[in-house]
Amino acid sequence: MGRRGAQLALLTVVGTILAAIQLGSAGVPLSRFEALMNQQSEPVDESLGLYDDNDKVFRLTVANFNDTVLEQNRAVLVEFYNTYCGHCRRFAPTYKEVAQQLHPWQDVIIVSAIDCAAEENNGICRTYEVMGYPTLRYMGPGFQPSDKQYGQKVDSQKPEEIRNLLAGLVAAENQTINNTLWPNLSPLTEVESTAPQLFDGLTSQREYVALIYEAENSTLGIQTALFLLQWPQLQVRRFSDAAVAAKYKIDTSKHQLAIVDRKGNVQIHTPSDQTAETWAKTIENALRAVNISPRPEHHLDHQQHTSTTAKNGALNDIIKEVHRNKHFIYQADLEMAIRTILHNEVPKVNEISGERLLALQKFLTVLQSYNPLGTNGRQLVSKLKDFVVQFNQQLAGKVFEQELQRLETKFGPIYSANHFVGCTGSTPHLRGFSCSLWTLFHFMSVQAAGNEKAHDPLEVLQAMHGYIKNFFGCTDCSEHFQAMASRRKIWNVTSKDEAVLWLWAAHNEVNQRLAGDATEDPQFPKIQFPSASSCAQCRNTAASASKENVDINWNKDAVLSFLKNIHNPEFVQRYGVQREELLHETLDTMRQKRQISNVFSDMDMRMGMFLYAFCIVMMVVAFKLFAFKGGYRKKPYGHDVLGKV
């Protein structure tokens, strides 16, 4: 074997080693969760709000708010609401009913709503200093907001009361000049005691005047007039003076309604009941009898984004995933909670000061300690916390929002998901943020319990209480939580494990209270968690077969262990995450890398032994090739050099 042959043999060995390494790498099995983690779900549209095209509620956004509300020749009733607010959800059917009833009034007043849960509407809700949800405000013709004047609050959530209040507010306006459709709602006087006087100043189109006798402080005549805006041939006048009734020969003890034509003819009518709708229908029938018809209905141009619905296939896939894995905590939900708090809840507050400022600083400090976001998100929260703690007196919500946007531009992208998974609802307005908020605080309480450097057992509970009291957009929920925290003695918690269990018990109490409520998602009924099927050892006795209750005999040690297991960061699921590269490596990913590393190590040992033996052989061959090159040489003897003795 020559030198060239030895070199070829060495190259062959190296090639064999590389091929073996490549085969070993290709044979490493994939993580058993990899396929699940890589699934991409279509984002569910969470901005649908509580109203859609099937309702008569005019949907406002930042894009159309000013053009609809400010400097108009008609009034607007605005509901400021939060999609995830339970009280708002319960009130929505009532508000839809009000909008349906008052739809004929739309030339004078429109019924509208704006969703303050939509991040794009932060500026509007902040400017109008909305501190509780739902909030109803009347904004009259020519309205312009000014300092501490953001419309007249309508303090009722009963349809009849809302109608009466609006009728009184509309009657107080004087818009007969600026709006030709605005009815004359001033009371009829004795001066207008004849037909010529009654029709004086009216256009020739007005052929009839309806006279309505009403009691003092009644809005029956006002509402009737507003229901008849589609009849330009008619003018409605109201009065409560018996002397005026006598002028037109109306016996108010028997009749309260009369229709007068231009010739002075008076027709007496008796509605079947004392409601504005019935009175309006009686007048309409009288006009139709003389071949008079209403004008075509005027349709408002909403100038808003077209409502879209979530793709049923993607939504059903998510729901199936959640039902299949009832105990999983999802990264998407944790991120959506943080996103909503930072980008929507806090910036809506116009002035953050006093207790509210301290609550924000505490929350950001705790979030920094137990942040489930990736590297970019952790940097953002850390810098945002440093920014907020600089303020001792006051921080404007707008300034907070601007700094958040600056940091997001600097460190972004931040979020790996843009929709809920474990907290998704069967319809967009169910579950969502309120569910994810519970998930986030459960997660942080468990992380705090496992943090040896944390010594304050109230760390997470105090941050949660402060946030819910000062920033949570569901006013009703906030009040309930504060009352429950006081009753359950939240400030008496003495250990971090006790804090985990306090939050668990509080959540179960809320589930018990809301079970069967209108806000409950039928596909995700509120139960006492964990269920017997989820954690059999968590219950010392079986729950009642008819209805679970908060008096279950819990094995709290087992419950604590269960909660710590499911909220372990290593077990947080990434189903539905769109940008996994923004997150830290999962346990499975690291395990896969270690597995690959082990494969290389074992292979190196085997191939090393083979190479070692091969090298010995090659050294022997090389020695034979080079050490004895040139053939046999006579061994020199000393006497050859010294000479013969």
Side-chain angles (χ1 to χ4, degrees), residues 427-442:
T427 60
H429 63 276
L430 295 176
R431 304 182 81 223
F433 174 58
S434 55
C435 164
S436 70
L437 190 63
W438 279 110
T439 302
L440 176 64
F441 282 110
H442 281 303

Side-chain angles (χ1 to χ4, degrees), residues 535-549:
C535 180
Q537 64 271 30
C538 290
R539 303 178 183 221
N540 291 323
T541 57
S544 169
S546 59
K547 183 178 181 181
E548 292 194 347
N549 55 75

